[in-house]
Amino acid sequence: MSTAVSLVAALIATLFFFDLARRYRVSPRPHTAAYAAGIGFFALATWAFWLGTATGWTSASYRAFFLFGAIVNIPVLALGSMFLVVGRRAGHIMLMLLFPFFAISIPMALAQPFDAGALPHGGVPNGRDLWLDMFGPRLWAAIGGGMGATIIIVLALVSMVRFYRRNPRLVVGNLSIVAGTLAASTGGTVLAFGYEWGFAGSLLTSVTLIWLGYRIAVGRREVVLD
């Protein structure tokens, strides 16, 4: 079941990426570029998840899943919100802060050894079983995911308050985006309890709600995700 659900989630995330890329081509703006990159990373992680559950996990598929899904995608989506809601100056400052974060976390996720023999033939691997050292990829995933999700949710709420009366469509769209972000954040908790189908479901729910919120917020007007 988790394989089929993750396949649908990967297809939706890919279509969402192309939607954002098309929007950026029409109106190139930094927040659209960041959102497209973040959703693109989400799509890559979901395809890696589908491949791992469908054919068996390898070191490459799990590292891709963990890197794009747990470390880089949420901070990059948060960068898009920072550019859009706070402004270009704040976005550029956050971008500069992300450089050292990625310079440390990406090589660590790609190179830090783990026991490939511990990868299960089915189901979803748990990073705690593969990387015993907390001060490794797991730590950077916790920092990036926690701070990124907080920024996305806080800035979405700020935008909702700002446009409560002037743009009800934007408020509804932001509610959907917040719900999608929370769905993604609960995926790891669901997985910790051993419900792999629930984790796949969180991926599908998250990308669907975020894309729905994006489309509601955009409407026929200028792109606004938060």
Side-chain angles (χ1 to χ4, degrees):
M1 181 177 179
S2 59
T3 301
V5 174
S6 62
L7 176 60
V8 175
L11 290 171
I12 292 176
T14 302
L15 291 174
F16 189 8
F17 166 75
F18 283 117
D19 188 14
L20 288 165
R22 177 187 60 83
R23 182 70 61 167
Y24 179 77
R25 183 178 179 183
V26 173
S27 179
R29 297 184 179 184
H31 66 270
T32 310
Y35 286 135
I39 293 299
F41 293 145
F42 183 97
L44 289 173
T46 311
W47 280 115
F49 178 81
W50 170 78
L51 183 65
T53 55
T55 65
W57 289 95
T58 64
S59 176
S61 61
Y62 182 74
R63 289 182 190 275
F65 164 66
F66 194 89
L67 174 63
F68 294 120
I71 294 180
V72 301
N73 71 319
I74 297 297
V76 174
L77 288 172
L79 176 64
S81 293
M82 188 66 71
F83 270 119
L84 183 58
V85 179
V86 184
R88 294 194 175 218
R89 181 181 177 84
H92 287 136
I93 292 174
M94 182 175 175
L95 179 61
M96 295 303 295
L97 293 175
L98 285 178
F99 278 125
F101 173 81
F102 289 147
I104 298 172
S105 61
I106 291 176
M108 188 171 292
L110 293 176
Q112 182 162 331
F114 63 76
D115 182 9
L119 288 169
H121 295 292
V124 186
N126 193 319
R128 290 178 298 180
D129 298 329
L130 301 176
W131 285 301
L132 300 179
D133 184 5
M134 179 59 192
F135 298 98
R138 292 168 51 209
L139 174 64
W140 295 104
I143 294 173
M147 294 185 65
T150 300
I151 291 172
I152 292 171
I153 292 172
V154 168
L155 292 183
L157 293 174
V158 168
S159 183
M160 288 167 59
V161 172
R162 183 188 301 174
F163 294 100
Y164 177 72
R165 295 185 181 276
R166 288 184 291 166
N167 195 337
R169 175 189 289 269
L170 190 61
V171 174
V172 174
N174 272 283
L175 282 172
S176 183
I177 291 168
V178 169
T181 304
L182 291 174
S185 299
T186 60
T189 303
V190 172
L191 184 59
F193 286 98
Y195 299 111
E196 61 186 67
W197 59 267
F199 180 78
S202 73
L203 295 177
L204 177 58
T205 302
S206 174
V207 71
T208 301
L209 287 175
I210 292 175
W211 195 7
L212 177 63
Y214 165 77
R215 296 307 304 174
I216 291 174
V218 170
R220 295 183 177 274
R221 294 185 291 275
E222 181 183 8
V223 173
V224 280
L225 221 166
D226 285 315

